[in-house]
Amino acid sequence: MNHIHTSNVRNGGLNRRSLTALVLVVTMGLSSVVANAKSAPDSFADLAQKLLPAVVNISTTQNVEGRGGVQIPQLPPGSPFEDFFKDFFEKNRRQEQKRSVTSLGSGFIIRNGEYVVTNNHVIQDADEITVILQDNTRLKAELIGRDQKTDLAVLKVKPKDKLPAVKFGNSDKARVGDWVIAIGNPFGLGGSVTAGIISARGRNIGNGANYTDFIQTDASINRGNSGGPMFNLNGEVIGVNTAIYSPTGGSVGIGFSIPSATVKTVVNQLIKHGEVKRGWLGVRIQEVTDEIAESLGLKEATGALVADVVAGGPAEKSKIKTGDVILRFDGKKVKTMRHLPRLVAETDIDKPVKVTVWRNKEEVSINVKVGELDEEKIKQASKSSGSGGNKNNVVVDDLGLVLSVATPELKKRFKLDEKTKGVVVTKVKRDSAAAEKGLRPGDVIVEVTQEEVSHPGKVLEKVKAAVAAGRKSVLLLLEGQGGLRFVVVKIGKAAKSKKKKG
């Protein structure tokens, strides 16, 4: 307010009356915001009482092989203790051959009390699974199906009486700051209720899967809470508590839950098929950085950049190309690279969808028939093309590279595939723009500015043209040990200024 008052008085624009009015307007505006915000409930007791019967404890037993017992000590032949020790150690060896390991977790009842949802890691490798109700009734559980990629599992129980069940809510509508409660079995203390808020959304916790954007909460979650539900204030499940971040092993207020939007899809498939069938597009993608967006003429760094197209996959059949940026899939915006795998995976097999890509600085709509995910197909090598030859080394100073065609000698030297085509990097100048981007000898340049190159002279030509046009960088498609990837390398004055600053 002081800043507004000073600047306006200097210009003769505000008197005391108008300043007072401004204060009232601002105050009323803030009051309106506060009035619209949901206040914290006086108590969670009524909600907890309603939900507790539908949350269960899960006990699993696994039979594991023992260490084979302790070896019989060496005794003198004919010793009177020989038979005694033999009987003693043989008895203990038999007892230790097999032993039971018990673990505890949480879950919740859905669909008229027949099914229980939990985490896969709670029941993984279990020989026996027992569901324990709030009144300590113990029910044998049958494993209906599990999905390692999302860490979810579904169990089936056969109770004498109908069990209370809970419903899924819409996790997509849950906002940062919303109140939530978690119920579970931390440290074996069944029926524990904790409350907190949604701290963040769209978290990637580095578990190797691209199919889940986790909800972060500060509601206390500990060991044994895994598989338990996260509820909104309407009593709907909006997440499955799965992991915590903790340097001590206990809760420090950073817990992660699988959103119900993902859980519902997986659970429905597990109940129907016993497994999860995921949609497949047949592309290898990478993040669109600010540099890549600028080089492609995109206004913002969004979407997923196609680094490779799997031979025979849905993308290739529909003419999606390497270098395309997928902006929308089936009418949904692809916000980041990580967003696309989940959108595709949740799409029905054989469903025709419209994909919008950014190609040659304009949007192009492509119709794609979604395939079924097969891990073996993902491992297929992508195609690279190009022909011709120029066996002379070419120095590209603007990149800091020495290039050559893919000769048999170079293929052997760098352990390249016999079918490799393109331009081989034979030397990378220290402190160059290319070195800064991680290029190294043995990398193969497949494209420059989204055009295929088959010999070093073509690379030099494309780079010189970019420098002459005043461009700050060029986009290279490289094939290295990690597969195909796009790299933006600074050229001309931009590269030189970067070197000076370094």
Side-chain angles (χ1 to χ4, degrees), residues 11-51:
N11 293 306
L14 274 183
N15 55 30
R16 182 175 298 178
R17 181 176 299 175
S18 60
L19 183 60
T20 303
L22 179 61
V23 171
L24 289 173
V25 169
V26 172
T27 305
M28 290 172 63
L30 290 174
S31 300
S32 177
V33 171
V34 173
N36 290 330
K38 293 182 180 179
S39 59
D42 294 332
S43 172
F44 295 101
D46 291 340
L47 187 59
Q49 184 177 8
K50 174 185 174 183
L51 299 175

Side-chain angles (χ1 to χ4, degrees), residues 90-104:
E90 283 296 330
K91 180 180 177 181
N92 279 275
R93 180 182 290 117
R94 287 193 298 269
Q95 292 177 345
E96 290 189 11
Q97 285 299 313
K98 288 189 176 181
R99 58 192 177 90
S100 296
V101 176
T102 303
S103 61
L104 298 172

Side-chain angles (χ1 to χ4, degrees), residues 336-405:
T336 64
M337 175 195 72
R338 288 179 52 250
H339 193 207
L340 181 63
R342 184 163 65 89
L343 290 177
V344 176
E346 293 175 354
T347 305
D348 293 336
I349 313 301
D350 293 330
K351 178 182 178 181
V353 300
K354 181 177 288 186
V355 178
T356 302
V357 304
W358 183 258
R359 179 188 296 170
N360 297 328
K361 299 187 177 181
E362 64 179 3
E363 291 189 3
V364 178
S365 292
I366 300 173
N367 294 318
V368 181
K369 187 178 181 181
V370 176
E372 183 176 348
L373 179 66
D374 185 329
E375 297 296 343
E376 291 303 315
K377 290 180 181 178
I378 294 178
K379 296 177 183 178
Q380 291 183 28
S382 60
K383 300 190 304 179
S384 22
S385 56
S387 59
N390 175 5
K391 295 188 178 180
N392 297 322
N393 284 346
V394 172
V395 178
V396 185
D397 287 325
D398 287 295
L399 298 178
L401 297 175
V402 178
L403 307 174
S404 175
V405 292

Side-chain angles (χ1 to χ4, degrees), residues 152-308:
L152 291 169
V154 176
L155 312 174
K156 189 172 185 178
V157 292
K158 295 180 179 179
K160 294 181 180 179
D161 301 315
K162 185 177 179 180
L163 300 178
V166 290
K167 295 181 179 181
F168 288 109
N170 189 346
S171 58
D172 290 337
K173 291 185 178 180
R175 301 186 303 163
V176 173
D178 281 350
W179 281 98
V180 292
I181 66 172
I183 303 179
N185 185 26
F187 303 111
L189 302 172
S192 293
V193 181
T194 56
I197 62 169
I198 294 177
S199 306
R201 301 210 44 181
R203 290 299 199 204
N204 176 12
I205 64 174
N207 64 339
N210 289 320
Y211 304 110
T212 303
D213 290 326
F214 289 86
I215 297 173
Q216 180 183 328
T217 180
D218 66 350
S220 184
I221 296 174
N222 288 285
R223 294 176 183 175
N225 271 111
S226 289
M230 172 193 283
F231 293 103
N232 60 21
L233 294 189
N234 294 323
E236 301 167 327
V237 178
I238 60 168
V240 175
N241 302 321
T242 298
I244 62 172
Y245 171 80
S246 174
T248 62
S251 175
V252 294
I254 303 177
F256 301 99
S257 300
I258 306 170
S260 61
T262 299
V263 179
K264 284 191 294 184
T265 301
V266 172
V267 166
N268 288 338
Q269 290 208 45
L270 289 177
I271 292 175
K272 186 176 182 180
H273 306 293
E275 61 180 354
V276 177
K277 297 181 179 181
R278 290 186 167 86
W280 178 59
L281 190 57
V283 293
R284 197 174 75 83
I285 56 176
Q286 70 180 75
E287 183 182 359
V288 178
T289 63
D290 291 334
E291 288 180 324
I292 290 176
E294 181 183 356
S295 68
L296 297 178
L298 278 168
K299 293 182 180 179
E300 59 178 336
T302 187
L305 177 62
V306 178
D308 194 11

